Amino acid sequence: MTAPSHAVADSLTMLRRNLKHARRYPSLTVSVVMTPVLMLLLFTYVFGGALGAGIDGPASGGEYVDYLAPGIILMAATSGALVTAVGVCVDMTEGIVNRFRTMAISRSAFLTGHVAGSVIQTLLSIVCVVAVALLVGFRPHAGPVEWLAAAGLLTLLTFALTWLAAGIGLVARNPESASNIPLPLQFLPFLGSAVVPPESMPSGLRWFAEYQPFTSVNETLRGLLTGTEIGTSGITAVAWCLALTLTGYFWARTVFHRGAAADRRA
């Protein structure tokens, strides 16, 4: 078997391990799904009447949930980073990674298995959130092509955030800190256009909301699903996702291999 074949086989083994672990201990995955669902219910039924008044776009002449749902779906994608960070950190602190390093397995399999497993879990979580959004009244106008494009963008964003979360899990000192560090990623969409348009914010916050990464992703999702104007947001969103992917990938690999080199010198 060639080296690339070994790497693929070992990564699949790690992927099966992580998926089995998630199935046996689903509490963390359930909590990650429940957070965006609760936010959707809260903003739809408690704040929806006040926030939806005067918003142009899908909420104008329609329901506020049509404006809100793309932002909550985006939040479901960011929430998956928590699972990755905690999972990687638990393996690091419990010593199983040191055991892996003594075995004849590919160096890249550990991180690849975690990232692939977390991406699958997060995409399943997004499907659950979309289903709840449809149940509470979200009525997208997207056709098959638009849905496919939205799924591709969410997959790319999830892949980027998962690599960043893997790096966080490697540098976190314990699972508790690993669960806290990704929280800003989870709630950053609310400092964009997820709940209200940036035009309604104070000048400083408005500037941040307009140029932070999740706003372009949110506007692209909203345009694909509800037919609002996308403009250059699509290109900007893909560029942000690729930049975050490269940053997270090289950061996580560097930290992981630096740890392996330190173990060899010890």
Side-chain angles (χ1 to χ4, degrees):
M1 185 178 290
T2 63
S5 299
H6 268 300
V8 172
D10 292 342
S11 297
L12 290 175
T13 301
M14 289 293 177
L15 172 60
R16 286 195 295 272
R17 168 184 176 269
N18 293 321
L19 292 179
K20 285 182 179 179
H21 190 272
R23 189 179 62 185
R24 290 173 181 172
Y25 305 98
S27 57
L28 185 59
T29 304
V30 171
S31 66
V32 167
V33 176
M34 288 306 297
T35 300
V37 168
L38 291 176
M39 288 293 178
L40 175 65
L41 299 178
L42 177 69
F43 280 95
T44 299
Y45 293 115
V46 179
F47 304 128
L51 294 176
I55 293 181
D56 294 329
S60 176
E63 298 292 337
Y64 176 63
V65 67
D66 288 335
Y67 180 89
L68 175 68
I72 298 297
I73 295 170
L74 172 59
M75 184 183 181
T78 62
S79 297
L82 174 65
V83 177
T84 313
V86 172
V88 171
C89 187
V90 167
D91 280 348
M92 295 295 292
T93 54
E94 290 186 346
I96 189 66
V97 175
N98 293 331
R99 174 61 176 160
F100 289 152
R101 284 169 174 162
T102 64
M103 301 169 65
I105 62 175
S106 168
R107 295 275 179 84
S108 62
F110 172 71
L111 288 178
T112 303
H114 262 293
V115 169
S118 296
V119 168
I120 293 173
Q121 287 178 256
T122 304
L123 293 179
L124 292 175
S125 301
I126 291 173
V127 171
C128 293
V129 173
V130 171
V132 174
L134 294 173
L135 288 175
V136 300
F138 178 46
R139 294 296 178 263
H141 308 295
V145 175
E146 286 79 11
W147 274 109
L148 190 61
L153 179 60
L154 286 169
T155 303
L156 184 59
L157 176 66
T158 301
F159 190 65
L161 296 179
T162 303
W163 273 113
L164 278 179
I168 292 172
L170 289 170
V171 300
R173 294 187 176 182
N174 50 57
E176 287 76 18
S177 61
S179 66
N180 292 328
I181 296 174
L183 287 180
L185 288 176
Q186 187 174 351
F187 290 98
L188 201 56
F190 289 98
L191 297 180
S193 61
V195 179
V196 295
E199 291 78 11
S200 63
M201 301 177 182
S203 58
L205 184 57
R206 174 182 175 177
W207 182 89
F208 177 79
E210 289 177 341
Y211 293 102
Q212 62 124 319
F214 295 118
T215 295
S216 58
V217 178
N218 193 37
E219 290 302 306
T220 304
L221 282 178
R222 183 173 291 129
L224 290 170
L225 298 180
T226 65
T228 57
E229 184 67 29
I230 295 178
T232 60
S233 294
I235 297 174
T236 306
V238 172
W240 270 116
C241 290
L242 293 177
L244 292 173
T245 300
L246 292 175
T247 301
Y249 173 77
F250 286 110
W251 179 41
R253 283 180 58 89
T254 300
V255 173
F256 185 73
H257 288 299
R258 187 183 300 158
D263 289 343
R264 286 196 297 271
R265 290 194 297 270

